[in-house]
């Protein structure tokens, strides 16, 4: 499977945010009431996050969904 640039960016950002908080995939999954398998599939580009998951990840890491999707380099949330 070939990943798009945006998918690679998503994976890198999610991993970077997770590592910044010193969280393993399983710890993040438990925090968000998800399976570790789902986190792994997002990381490997096998599965795309739905809107609910993107919102949960953005809220948990206090970043914008646009940042997670690679649409901006600014993680700040505009409210």
């Amino acid at each position: 499977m070939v990943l798009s640039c945006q998918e690679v960016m998503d994976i890198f950002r999610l991993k970077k945010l997770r590592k910044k908080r010193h969280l393993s995939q399983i710890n993040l999954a438990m925090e968000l009431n998800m399976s570790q398998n789902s986190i792994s599939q997002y990381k490997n580009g096998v599965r795309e996050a739905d809107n609910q998951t993107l919102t949960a990840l953005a809220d948990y890491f206090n970043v914008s969904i646009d940042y997670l999707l690679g649409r901006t380099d600014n993680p700040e949330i505009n409210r």
Side-chain angles (χ1 to χ4, degrees), residues 6-15 17 49 53-75:
Q6 188 171 8
E7 289 169 327
V8 171
M9 183 97 54
D10 297 346
I11 293 164
F12 173 75
R13 288 190 175 169
L14 181 56
K15 183 176 181 178
L17 290 166
T53 302
L54 284 172
T55 300
L57 288 166
D59 288 348
Y60 182 79
F61 289 112
N62 197 34
V63 297
S64 70
I65 291 174
D66 281 343
Y67 178 76
L68 286 177
L69 294 176
R71 294 175 48 134
T72 182
D73 290 330
N74 181 2

Side-chain angles (χ1 to χ4, degrees), residues 28-47:
L28 177 59
M30 288 175 17
E31 287 284 330
L32 297 176
N33 197 25
M34 299 170 61
S35 72
Q36 186 272 332
N37 190 42
S38 292
I39 300 294
S40 178
Q41 289 177 343
Y42 300 139
K43 175 186 154 294
N44 293 323
V46 174
R47 181 177 180 180

Side-chain angles (χ1 to χ4, degrees), residues 15-31:
K15 183 176 181 178
K16 181 179 173 184
L17 290 166
R18 188 174 55 77
K19 295 286 186 181
K20 188 175 181 179
R21 289 209 184 173
H22 307 286
L23 291 169
S24 65
Q25 287 182 8
I26 190 73
N27 294 128
L28 177 59
M30 288 175 17
E31 287 284 330

